[in-house]
Amino acid sequence: MGMFSQAISNLFKKPFTKLYPAEKYEPIKDTRGRFVMDVTRCIFCGLCERNCPAAVIKVDKARKRHETVISGCILCYRCQEVCPKGCISFREHYAPPTVARTALVHEILPRGQEPARGAAVEERKDVEGGTAWAYTIELPLPGPGKG
Ligand code: SF4
Ligand code: SF4
């Protein structure tokens, strides 16, 4: 088929690509996902932080706090591989495009204490010694020259 007739026939075919981001795609099994963590099993050893190639994990043992900048995660699954307690997993998830920097925080706070204002709480569970929280916070965007 010549180039001209190919172009004409393509006019009547369905597009080969999706109109991203207007059209939502269905997540493909075992590919992209969303970071999930069970903070109640975490020993705050920092192995995930030290092995994250994107440097998006911060672990604070004293505060029993685990923070991941999920908008910077490259989904390499290295943290899941190195975690000795099996705390980290990933679930299929469609993440719409965004310019926001979002951190997902898991922490155990003393009973009665709540995350700072502005936190979007995803989960809370009373555990031995406090309450386990999972919430997201929006981080400031890096300015020029700040990386
Ligand atoms: S590697 Fe696992 S146990 Fe260690 S800090 Fe990370 S999530 Fe917690
Ligand atoms: S999946 Fe990779 S980039 Fe994402 S938090 Fe884990 S180690 Fe870091």
Side-chain angles (χ1 to χ4, degrees):
M1 193 187 289
M3 203 169 75
F4 181 71
S5 43
Q6 179 78 62
I8 296 293
S9 86
N10 281 346
L11 284 177
F12 300 99
K13 285 185 182 159
K14 274 176 63 182
F16 292 106
T17 54
K18 280 195 183 284
L19 200 58
Y20 184 81
E23 267 181 69
K24 184 179 166 185
Y25 74 85
E26 291 306 320
I28 299 163
K29 188 162 173 25
D30 298 332
T31 54
R32 293 186 69 82
R34 164 76 191 270
F35 186 98
V36 177
M37 195 203 165
D38 181 356
V39 73
T40 62
R41 292 156 79 169
C42 183
I43 53 172
F44 305 96
C45 64
L47 264 177
C48 52
E49 176 178 344
R50 290 196 292 281
N51 281 277
C52 174
V56 293
I57 300 179
K58 254 195 288 179
V59 178
D60 187 331
K61 191 177 173 106
R63 291 172 65 195
K64 295 187 179 166
R65 190 175 194 277
H66 187 287
E67 178 180 319
T68 308
V69 183
I70 43 170
S71 51
C73 170
I74 57 171
L75 295 160
C76 67
Y77 310 136
R78 184 78 182 123
C79 50
Q80 184 180 23
E81 286 167 10
V82 300
C83 177
K85 291 292 181 183
C87 310
I88 299 172
S89 58
F90 290 83
R91 68 174 153 82
E92 287 154 37
H93 172 75
Y94 170 72
T98 177
V99 292
R101 276 180 81 221
T102 307
L104 177 62
V105 180
H106 293 88
E107 69 180 333
I108 299 177
L109 292 172
R111 193 84 34 94
Q113 191 176 323
E114 300 203 346
R117 277 178 61 166
V121 175
E122 295 194 346
E123 206 183 336
R124 57 160 292 176
K125 189 165 59 171
D126 285 337
V127 294
E128 203 184 312
T131 304
W133 294 86
Y135 59 89
T136 57
I137 46 173
E138 294 301 319
L139 302 174
L141 293 172
K146 290 185 190 160

